[in-house]
Amino acid sequence: MKNSNNDIAYLISQQITNAPAIWQLCGVDDPYYQMNIMLHEQIEHQGLKHEFIEVSGGHEWNVWDPAIKQVLQSIEQA
């Protein structure tokens, strides 16, 4: 629902610059790729800490599995 706690664009618009960093990854063949680009731009516009990574592949596990490993490694190093 728009402008609710289920609307990620709304939640980002409510954040301040000291919010936790956001890690975003999307496959370039993902049907939601353009939506991810728009979200990336909104996060940057809001001035939040953010990393956006584009990888080959679509909306599928062969993209998500390595991404999950990357997230877990970055948490371990923090």
Side-chain angles (χ1 to χ4, degrees):
M1 180 177 287
K2 191 169 175 75
N3 297 332
S4 74
N5 286 339
N6 295 322
D7 179 354
I8 193 164
Y10 170 76
L11 292 173
I12 288 169
S13 73
Q14 302 303 302
Q15 296 304 306
I16 54 175
T17 56
N18 64 352
I22 298 170
W23 192 87
Q24 180 184 6
L25 179 138
C26 187
V28 294
D29 296 322
D30 191 311
Y32 303 105
Y33 177 75
Q34 288 303 318
M35 186 182 302
N36 273 269
I37 294 294
M38 290 170 38
L39 179 63
H40 162 64
E41 291 170 353
Q42 180 186 7
I43 293 167
E44 282 192 331
H45 177 75
Q46 192 69 18
L48 302 175
K49 293 180 195 174
H50 173 251
E51 181 177 4
F52 177 63
I53 301 167
E54 296 177 348
V55 297
S56 61
H59 197 78
E60 55 203 9
W61 279 107
N62 65 341
V63 171
W64 303 329
D65 279 339
I68 291 168
K69 291 175 185 172
Q70 283 182 296
V71 169
L72 293 175
Q73 286 174 352
S74 68
I75 291 171
E76 187 177 89
Q77 294 172 359

